Amino acid sequence: WGKAAPVPRGARATAGGTVSHRLSLSRAAHLVGVHRSALQQMIREGRLATSEGMIAIEELRRADEGGVSAGPG
């Protein structure tokens, strides 16, 4: 079975053995096309979760399905 593959930069291994890729707030905002302050507001409102100042890609996808890039409406 050998050694486990290294975890890529920006990723974190979870207890279940899966890898969660994480992004900085600035990078996440850039990817969804909003200003960083929009994501900060969502974090304050509890609509977006972070861990150690980073956003998991899965969390960003979940939030974007709820309309992150659409903005207030």
Side-chain angles (χ1 to χ4, degrees):
W1 274 249
K3 288 178 133 182
V7 176
R9 184 175 175 193
R12 178 178 211 152
T14 65
T18 60
V19 175
S20 174
H21 293 276
R22 301 181 321 154
L23 304 167
S24 69
L25 199 57
S26 296
R27 181 72 177 141
H30 177 77
L31 287 175
V32 295
V34 298
H35 195 276
R36 186 171 47 91
S37 63
L39 295 184
Q40 290 172 323
Q41 179 69 31
M42 292 184 71
I43 292 165
R44 282 193 297 274
E45 293 171 353
R47 296 188 295 143
L48 185 63
T50 62
S51 174
E52 299 175 7
M54 304 289 277
I55 300 174
I57 289 178
E58 296 81 9
E59 176 68 7
L60 188 61
R61 285 183 184 146
R62 181 201 59 77
D64 195 34
E65 287 173 1
V68 170
S69 58

